[in-house]
Every structure is written in structure tokens, then in C-alpha cells.
């Protein structure tokens, strides 16, 4: 393991940007000292331990003695090799029927949602700067119309701590994205007020953040490293911001000057892969980029992935071999990470205005997204790229976000009608 670690440390490093350079580029006061190779060491050791524990049937989280939010963790499924599967028309699978229920609403647009890794909780963020935390078991009860104990209230926490306006003349500063810590009861939010806030949802009376990262740009997207030690922020700055959550130091990629500044308008969307060995960004210029999770180098730029229209989401498959992206060109695309090759396109849903997503279901056999023009949920067979279901969203206005559970056949939608809806498969 030590030899592997030494090799990894030699192969790449995160270089802290000089204070003057960063100040001119981002207006962020950063020290000039180079950081310790903590992230390199963390990833190298983590992967080695993961392999060792997997061979012995022990989870890395339990081995480390960390507080784990284990409910029913996802059951591993055989990954689908999309690169070798042709588009076989007429052989599409049937997506199971779901039932849905309105579970809550915000005072303004409901802009984002995220499930916890164990699938027990869902958080939603709004333009009214509020964050709501739902307990999934109670959402399931709410779907049952004949609840014997009266109305079920699935919202268990509401947080208010983001600035509504930077100035009195400004518009509201909405919540843009959310993420759950992979091991502890911490929820983070990124917002237009240039902050990332940390909430401990184990405390029933806490309504305010217990920690705050002050960025210099609109924080559009946030993603925890699987270790929980680092997080990425996609902002209006051209380069993703990597934060050490223990020190709050901000790191930038060492080859920032090599990127085409005109092309990288901003990295408005960031997501880590399942092991943290890579992360993907989507930007307003229509490009997606794959980054090395250890060296923070851009290793696979896919320029113009969605033409000149904004790329609104991108995420890895569980085996990290493919990326599913969505854009305001009304296309959803599947890419091969190793080559950058376009493998499949999923067409037939209009999304030109909002930051819509395309998401896999739990088995990665289906893809779900939103049609803004018809206010519908659209589902494709992931292998054949055929539309297999079109459902009314039951939102009064078009949904802005769709998020699938990591542990079961359920998802949430939220949108401009301020409402949050929970969907679950009908047994």
C-alpha cells in the first residue's frame, strides 16, 4: 500500500494558487503556502483500504468507526455496459407505474432536491431561501390516502439562514443546490448569496447553520467527496473550488491557466464519482469536463457537448465508466468517460429555460427527466433510448428538478408551483 501511495503522491499534486493570482482572478484572499498532500493521501489510502475491506466483506465506513446513516443501503447491481449494447428498437423494458402525492410547498419556487445517501431523508431548497428536510418514511405514509392517524407531516426540519438579499435593491438570493455528508447528519447548501452553509439536522431545534464557507461567487452546485473530508463548489468562476471542510481552505486546479478561459464560462454543476477518483462539471458554454479527483487536473474536456446551449447537469454511472448529461438544447446524452465518445441520445423532452436534470433510476435501466413545454415526466429505456412512459407531473407549473432515490423505486419533483411531490412505485 505504501508503494502505491508514494506513486500516487508522485503522479499528481494540488497546487495552491498564489494570493495575487487568485485575488486578481477570484477576489479571494488565499495564502501562498502549498497545501499538504492530504487529499492525495486520503484518496490513495481510501482506495487501498476499500479494496482490502471489500475483499474481506467489511465496509470502509464501519471499519473507520464513523457514524453511519445506514437505513437500507443500495443493493449492488450488475453495471450495464452501454458501450457494447446497440439501440435495439422494440426491446425496451416497461417502467413500473408510480403513485404520487403533494407533500409540501415553499413560499417561492422550489429549485432543488437531494436524497441522503441512505435514502432516509430528502432536502429541498427554494428561492425563498428556505430549506426543508423530509423523512422519507413519512412521505410514504403521506402517499397513503387513508392514513388512520390523521394528516402526516413529512417535513421534520426547516432551515432559514441564507441572505434573502445582498442589497435592498437586489432580487432574492435563492438556494441553488444541496448535498448530504456521506457519513454524518450534516446537510450543506449552496446559494446565490455566495455561501455554503452546514446544517446539523440531528438537532431538532437548530434552524441556523453551524458553519459557513464564504465564497466570492454565486455557488451554483455543491458535492461532497465520498470521504466527507472535502467538497466541491461549482460557481460563476471558471474553475471548480475545492474546499477542505476541516480548515475551509480553498484549492484550485494546478493547470487553471491551461484551460480556455473563454470556453469555461463557469462550472455551474459539479458531481463526484462514487469513489471520488473523478468529478464532472457542466458549464454554461455547453461543455462538460472530467477531472482527476486526486490531481484536480482536467483530463477529459468534452467541449460543445450540448452545442452552445448550457449543460445543466452531468453525473457518473455507478461504475464510473459513463456520464449522463442534460442541456438546454433539449437533449440528454450518454458519454463514455475513457474516450469522450457520445454513445446515446435521449430525445423528445423540451428543456430550454430551467436547469433541468436527467437522472437514472436505481438500477440504471431507465432515465427520467422533465418536459417543460408539456409539464410531464418523461422516462426512457437507458439501453434502447426509446421513450417508454410519459406522465403528467401533477405540478401546476413545470417542475425544475427531479431526483431519484439511491435505495428504492421512488423519486421527488419540485418546481415553479412551489410544491414538492413524492413518487413511489406501486407494488
Amino acid at each position: 500500500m505504501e508503494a502505491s501511495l508514494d506513486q500516487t503522491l508522485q503522479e499528481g499534486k494540488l497546487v495552491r494558487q498564489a494570493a495575487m493570482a487568485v485575488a486578481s482572478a477570484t477576489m479571494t484572499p488565499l495564502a501562498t503556502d502549498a497545501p499538504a498532500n492530504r487529499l492525495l493521501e486520503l484518496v490513495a489510502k481510501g482506495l487501498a483500504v476499500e479494496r482490502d475491506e471489500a475483499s474481506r466483506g467489511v465496509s470502509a465506513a464501519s471499519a473507520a468507526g464513523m457514524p453511519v446513516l445506514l437505513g437500507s443501503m443500495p443493493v449492488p447491481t450488475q453495471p450495464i455496459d452501454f458501450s457494447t449494447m446497440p439501440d435495439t428498437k422494440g426491446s425496451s423494458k416497461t417502467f413500473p407505474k408510480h403513485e404520487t402525492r403533494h407533500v409540501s410547498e415553499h413560499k417561492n419556487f422550489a429549485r432543488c432536491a437531494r436524497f441522503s445517501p441512505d435514502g432516509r431523508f430528502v432536502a429541498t431548497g427554494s428561492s425563498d431561501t428556505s430549506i426543508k428536510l423530509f423523512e422519507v418514511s413519512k412521505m410514504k405514509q403521506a402517499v397513503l390516502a387513508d392514513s388512520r392517524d390523521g394528516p402526516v407531516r413529512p417535513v421534520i426540519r426547516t432551515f432559514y439562514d441564507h441572505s434573502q438579499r445582498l442589497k435592498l435593491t437586489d432580487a432574492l438570493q435563492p438556494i441553488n443546490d444541496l448535498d448530504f455528508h456521506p457519513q454524518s447528519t450534516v446537510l450543506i447548501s449552496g446559494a446565490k448569496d455566495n455561501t455554503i452553509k452546514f446544517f446539523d439536522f440531528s438537532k431538532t431545534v437548530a434552524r441556523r447553520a453551524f458553519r459557513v464557507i464564504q465564497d466570492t461567487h454565486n455557488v451554483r452546485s455543491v458535492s461532497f467527496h465520498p470521504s466527507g473530508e472535502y467538497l466541491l463548489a461549482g460557481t460563476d468562476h471558471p474553475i471548480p473550488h475545492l474546499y477542505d471542510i476541516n480548515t475551509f481552505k480553498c484549492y484550485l486546479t494546478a493547470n487553471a491557466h491551461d484551460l480556455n478561459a473563454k470556453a469555461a464560462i463557469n462550472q455551474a454543476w459539479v458531481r463526484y464519482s462514487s469513489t471520488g477518483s473523478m468529478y464532472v462539471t457542466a458549464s454554461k458554454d455547453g461543455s462538460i469536463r472530467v477531472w482527476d479527483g486526486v490531481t484536480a487536473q482536467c483530463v477529459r474536456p468534452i467541449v460543445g457537448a450540448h452545442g452552445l446551449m448550457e449543460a445543466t447537469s452531468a453525473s457518473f454511472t455507478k461504475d464510473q465508466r459513463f456520464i449522463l448529461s442534460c442541456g438546454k438544447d433539449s437533449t440528454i446524452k450518454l458519454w463514455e468517460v475513457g474516450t469522450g465518445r457520445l454513445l446515446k441520445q435521449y430525445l423528445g423532452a423540451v428543456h430550454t429555460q430551467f436547469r433541468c436534470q436527467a437522472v437514472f433510476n436505481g438500477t440504471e435501466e431507465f432515465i427520467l427527466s422533465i418536459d417543460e413545454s408539456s409539464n410531464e415526466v418523461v422516462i426512457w429505456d437507458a439501453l434502447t433510448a426509446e421513450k417508454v412512459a410519459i406522465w403528467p407531473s401533477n405540478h401546476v407549473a413545470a417542475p425544475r428538478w427531479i431526483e431519484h432515490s439511491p435505495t428504492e423505486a421512488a423519486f421527488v419533483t419540485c418546481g415553479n408551483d412551489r410544491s414538492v411531490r413524492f413518487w413511489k412505485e406501486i407494488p
Side-chain angles (χ1 to χ4, degrees):
M1 174 178 169
E2 292 301 324
S4 175
L5 174 59
D6 290 341
Q7 180 181 0
T8 303
L9 292 172
Q10 290 299 321
E11 286 178 351
K13 62 181 179 179
L14 289 170
V15 178
R16 192 87 177 276
Q17 301 301 294
M20 292 300 293
V22 173
S24 62
T26 71
M27 301 177 292
T28 307
L30 297 178
T32 57
D33 58 306
N37 289 317
R38 288 187 58 218
L39 181 58
L40 302 175
E41 185 175 349
L42 175 70
V43 175
K45 286 185 176 180
L47 292 176
V49 170
E50 185 181 72
R51 288 191 295 268
D52 178 60
E53 300 295 355
S55 67
R56 296 189 289 114
V58 180
S59 71
S62 61
M66 304 179 80
V68 182
L69 294 174
L70 288 178
S72 54
M73 293 302 287
V75 177
T77 56
Q78 187 67 27
I80 300 173
D81 188 355
F82 293 99
S83 63
T84 61
M85 300 295 289
D87 294 344
T88 307
K89 303 298 181 182
S91 61
S92 299
K93 297 180 179 179
T94 301
F95 190 69
K97 291 184 178 181
H98 284 53
E99 53 189 341
T100 182
R101 176 62 60 91
H102 171 279
V103 290
S104 187
E105 65 181 44
H106 289 268
K107 296 178 181 178
N108 208 318
F109 299 155
R111 291 173 54 88
C112 56
R114 188 72 78 96
F115 277 90
S116 61
D118 61 4
R120 292 172 55 197
F121 303 98
V122 174
T124 60
S126 170
S127 293
D128 66 11
T129 72
S130 71
I131 299 167
K132 293 194 175 190
L133 182 70
F134 300 80
E135 192 169 345
V136 171
S137 62
K138 292 183 178 181
M139 296 173 88
K140 292 178 183 177
Q141 294 176 35
V143 173
L144 301 175
D146 57 346
S147 176
R148 298 178 180 179
D149 299 324
V152 178
R153 303 187 185 281
V155 178
I156 59 172
R157 306 279 188 278
T158 302
F159 302 106
Y160 298 94
D161 203 25
H162 280 279
S163 302
Q164 293 198 350
R165 290 175 173 85
L166 296 179
K167 300 177 183 176
L168 291 177
T169 55
D170 287 345
L172 290 174
Q173 308 297 308
I175 308 295
N176 290 322
D177 199 12
L178 303 159
D179 198 12
F180 286 86
H181 191 277
Q183 289 96 22
S184 65
T185 56
V186 172
L187 171 70
I188 60 171
S189 56
K192 197 175 180 180
D193 63 2
N194 301 352
T195 66
I196 302 168
K197 300 207 171 185
F198 292 66
F199 301 90
D200 183 351
F201 60 87
S202 68
K203 299 179 179 179
T204 58
V205 296
R207 295 292 181 267
R208 303 289 181 181
F210 69 93
R211 301 186 78 181
V212 179
I213 292 177
Q214 182 67 57
D215 203 278
T216 55
H217 294 76
N218 176 12
V219 181
R220 294 179 173 271
S221 184
V222 288
S223 181
F224 268 117
H225 186 276
S227 69
E229 294 290 315
Y230 292 84
L231 69 86
L232 279 168
T235 74
D236 284 345
H237 183 243
I239 306 300
H241 294 182
L242 174 66
Y243 286 97
D244 182 323
I245 69 167
N246 297 302
T247 65
F248 279 16
K249 287 184 177 180
C250 179
Y251 303 100
L252 305 179
T253 178
N255 67 338
H257 60 279
D258 295 331
L259 296 175
N260 186 334
K262 292 184 179 180
I265 296 176
N266 61 44
Q267 305 300 330
W269 179 278
V270 292
R271 288 293 185 266
Y272 268 110
S273 66
S274 58
T275 65
S277 61
M278 295 179 288
Y279 55 93
V280 62
T281 60
S283 58
K284 280 198 169 183
D285 68 345
S287 300
I288 59 176
R289 290 176 171 82
V290 181
W291 305 72
D292 187 301
V294 175
T295 65
Q297 305 289 307
C298 179
V299 295
R300 178 71 62 193
I302 306 178
V303 178
H306 289 273
L308 298 177
M309 305 302 290
E310 180 179 352
T312 52
S313 74
S315 57
F316 289 94
T317 53
K318 296 174 184 178
D319 63 3
Q320 307 180 108
R321 295 180 58 197
F322 309 99
I323 290 173
L324 185 69
S325 70
C326 183
K328 289 186 177 179
D329 59 349
S330 296
T331 67
I332 298 166
K333 298 181 178 181
L334 188 71
W335 307 87
E336 189 172 45
V337 172
T339 63
R341 179 167 58 106
L342 175 63
L343 297 178
K344 297 180 185 294
Q345 292 193 74
Y346 307 88
L347 306 175
V350 176
H351 27 88
T352 59
Q353 299 181 50
F354 307 125
R355 191 174 56 156
C356 287
Q357 300 80 47
V359 298
F360 282 106
N361 74 324
T363 62
E364 298 186 341
E365 295 174 289
F366 298 96
I367 291 167
L368 295 76
S369 191
I370 300 296
D371 189 313
E372 294 174 357
S373 63
S374 61
N375 194 8
E376 293 172 324
V377 176
V378 183
I379 301 104
W380 294 261
D381 182 296
L383 283 176
T384 67
E386 285 187 318
K387 279 195 288 187
V388 295
I390 301 174
W391 296 339
S393 74
N394 292 299
H395 287 269
V396 176
R400 297 179 71 121
W401 201 283
I402 184 168
E403 188 82 3
H404 200 281
S405 168
T407 59
E408 59 185 315
F411 62 94
V412 295
T413 54
C414 57
N416 284 358
D417 63 352
R418 309 178 182 183
S419 71
V420 180
R421 299 194 70 89
F422 179 71
W423 303 67
K424 67 178 291 290
E425 183 176 327
I426 300 174

